[in-house]
Amino acid sequence: LSLCFPEKLWRMLESDQFHSIWWSEGGKCVAINKDLFEMEVLGRGFCQRVFNTRHIKSVIRQLNFYGFTKVQRDFQRSASLPEFLSEEEAASAHSQILYYYNPSFNRAHPWLLGTCKRR
């Protein structure tokens, strides 16, 4: 049985098999560690592949087709130089993480998954 993109995404998020993708913001957003996702999910052999692509851009395109929007993360910056530099380092590591939101894709409301349609 072939699953549509949102169903595959949901199963990945609910599985403990993947460490590169998780629920964020209390189950309202999808968080993807870009580099790890490329290795863990897209780098798999043909028989184990979740998506029919090896490119993160194709996955992002699918997210956009299904109404997901990229969410920017805002960081409060400290006025002290040492704290600012450590915050910059954390923000740089954090920039590998992509956040996507869709009002019909919410962990607390799995019945909404059926309304998540391709545009």
Side-chain angles (χ1 to χ4, degrees):
L1 184 65
S2 179
L3 300 174
C4 69
F5 179 82
E7 292 168 336
K8 288 180 185 180
L9 193 62
W10 188 280
R11 287 199 177 179
M12 288 178 71
L13 289 162
E14 290 296 309
S15 166
D16 60 357
Q17 182 181 359
F18 301 98
H19 303 286
S20 60
I21 185 168
W22 63 93
W23 290 106
S24 176
E25 305 297 324
K28 295 179 182 175
C29 288
V30 176
I32 302 170
N33 180 316
K34 184 181 168 203
D35 291 341
L36 185 56
F37 188 85
E38 287 175 328
M39 288 187 311
E40 181 183 59
V41 178
L42 303 178
R44 291 178 170 218
F46 183 75
C47 293
Q48 297 179 320
R49 210 173 280 163
V50 177
F51 301 114
N52 293 329
T53 185
R54 296 183 71 88
H55 306 284
I56 189 75
K57 286 183 179 183
S58 297
V59 174
I60 291 170
R61 192 173 310 121
Q62 287 295 312
L63 286 165
N64 292 326
F65 282 150
Y66 280 93
F68 286 82
T69 55
K70 188 173 184 181
V71 179
Q72 297 296 330
R73 307 299 296 181
D74 291 328
F75 292 101
Q76 295 291 332
R77 298 288 189 229
S78 176
S80 93
L81 183 59
E83 288 179 20
F84 178 82
L85 293 174
S86 95
E87 290 167 359
E88 281 298 307
E89 185 177 329
S92 175
H94 201 266
S95 70
Q96 289 298 318
I97 301 174
L98 308 172
Y99 295 91
Y100 285 89
Y101 169 77
N102 181 326
S104 298
F105 199 86
N106 186 314
R107 187 178 198 180
H109 307 293
W111 58 88
L112 289 177
L113 185 59
T115 64
C116 196
K117 303 287 184 198
R118 189 175 174 144
R119 292 183 199 177

